[in-house]
Amino acid sequence: LYAAKTHADIVPLLDDLPASSAVVTSAPAGEVVGPAGHTDRLIAILSGATRKGAWHASPAIDAITLMGGVELDFREAVLPGREITVRAVCIMGGVLITVPPEMHVVSSVVAIMGGTEVADDTAESLRPGAPVLRLSGACIMGGIEVKRKARKTPRNGRGAIES
């Protein structure tokens, strides 16, 4: 593990872990993953932006909506580490975030004439070492919702299909 230079070098060491216990995965060989300090910025002004399916999440994501919406689905995302930060600013707009059952969510969002709703933790999300989503920002006449859903397909081709 200490000799690993890329995410692909770590994959063989993690292959025997149960599929549902790890959200952190590596990119397929030859695929480029963004730099560790990179911040994705999703801006939706009278429009929408979506990240779902198999996508590479940055360690930090800024979601800015002005009468628009952003949807982030982390169930099949390739995460850069055990923790990811989403900073959301919603002005008469909304952000919908979907997380897998094992992801712990810590929210410090401020709502002014708006609202936030974060799904309750599960037994899996309270385990030590669970991946963490840190959510911060503000809603002004807008909303942020974090919902928890099982994956649609088996991770890494193993296990039963979940819905």
Side-chain angles (χ1 to χ4, degrees), residues 8-21:
D9 294 339
I10 298 172
V11 171
L13 302 172
L14 302 177
D15 274 344
D16 62 342
L17 293 176
S20 65
S21 68

Side-chain angles (χ1 to χ4, degrees), residues 15 19 34 40 48 50 52 62 68 77 80 82-84 89 108 113-114 119 121 125-126 131 137 139 142 159-161:
D15 274 344
D40 266 350
T50 302
K52 60 184 174 180
D62 292 338
R82 283 274 171 219
E83 189 169 305
I84 192 162
V89 175
S108 60
M113 294 178 64
D121 277 312
S125 69
L126 294 174
C139 299
I161 294 177

Side-chain angles (χ1 to χ4, degrees), residues 21-24 79 81-83 100 102-105 125 129-133:
S21 68
V23 169
V24 180
L79 301 182
R82 283 274 171 219
E83 189 169 305
E102 70 273 12
M103 184 174 271
H104 180 63
V105 180
S125 69
V132 176
L133 170 68

